[in-house]
Amino acid sequence: MNTGNRRVVTNTALSLDGRYAKANPLDMGWVMPYAISDTARDHLAALHSTATTALLGRVNAEGFLGFWPTVIGAEGVDPRDEAFAQWLVDTDKTVLSSTLEKAPWERTEIVDKPTAEAVADLKAEDGGDILVLASASVIKSLLAADLVDRLAITLFPVFLGEGPRLFDGELLEGQWQLVGQHADEDGTVALVYDRVR
């Protein structure tokens, strides 16, 4: 893979009213009925197939890395879920945190520096895509700095009514090109946009 050519790909799930979480961020019940759709699973499979680094904030790292490894070898698990879980275990992970001192997970580097600096360091290394997994604070920082090359959104057909929004701050003016879309019968829509530079 070419040095300096790595894409920053962000992936997140949003409600129709633009929220990535409820007022209680631990309440993820609104996600589950749709996260198991073919659209959501195929969407994630396509994203991690080209990525060699996972970039997460501390909270999401604790959630993802606490749950996904338990999927491997579980009875009745969807093969796409198991493939993602295995990728997450096997891939290099960078966790942005000022509080974690030592990574409790293998192949993980804890980085205590601004998001833009951490991404510049990763982009200077060889590898495939840098996949930011649902870490809203990281995604917001990258969007504000215009460092996102590919924006992937799984849109779920619900209004949450309250809770934090992904697009709530000042973003730089810019154009995005739709490069992928798929809709499921349950109303889940996967969208992939590339930044036009």
Side-chain angles (χ1 to χ4, degrees):
M1 310 241 177
N2 296 333
T3 300
N5 235 1
R6 307 184 75 186
R7 292 183 304 184
V8 175
V9 179
T10 63
N11 183 51
T12 194
L14 293 179
S15 64
L16 277 179
D17 55 345
R19 302 175 195 278
Y20 61 85
K22 293 185 110 174
N24 173 5
L26 298 178
D27 179 1
M28 296 301 290
W30 67 279
V31 169
M32 294 317 297
Y34 307 104
I36 59 173
S37 69
D38 285 335
T39 292
R41 283 175 163 147
D42 290 344
H43 176 71
L44 186 56
L47 294 175
H48 78 77
S49 69
T50 57
T52 57
T53 303
L55 178 61
L56 303 115
R58 180 190 58 82
V59 173
N60 267 40
E62 290 175 343
F64 272 65
L65 296 167
F67 169 74
W68 281 104
T70 68
V71 169
I72 299 170
E75 186 176 337
V77 68
D78 187 284
R80 293 165 293 187
D81 293 342
E82 188 164 20
F84 172 71
Q86 193 65 60
W87 173 82
L88 189 60
V89 168
D90 293 342
T91 202
D92 293 329
K93 293 166 282 292
T94 297
V95 177
L96 300 176
S97 175
S98 60
T99 56
L100 280 177
E101 294 181 4
K102 183 179 177 188
W105 316 284
E106 293 183 8
R107 300 189 66 144
T108 303
E109 179 184 11
I110 305 297
V111 174
D112 181 10
K113 59 173 61 171
T115 304
E117 287 183 35
V119 165
D121 291 346
L122 289 172
K123 288 191 79 153
E125 300 171 0
D126 284 333
D129 291 342
I130 301 159
L131 179 57
V132 185
L133 292 166
S135 296
S137 62
V138 177
I139 294 172
K140 286 181 175 192
S141 294
L142 292 171
L143 285 170
D146 197 20
L147 293 174
V148 176
D149 301 303
R150 174 163 282 184
L151 178 66
I153 297 170
T154 313
L155 193 63
F156 295 150
V158 293
F159 280 178
L160 295 183
E162 59 179 357
R165 296 177 188 272
L166 184 64
F167 307 115
D168 64 351
E170 291 186 20
L171 297 175
L172 296 175
E173 182 178 352
Q175 185 178 356
W176 296 80
Q177 179 180 6
L178 182 67
V179 294
Q181 61 181 319
H182 193 272
D184 210 290
E185 291 180 2
D186 69 358
T188 300
V189 180
L191 300 165
V192 180
Y193 291 93
D194 280 352
R195 181 72 168 93
V196 177
R197 299 192 189 280

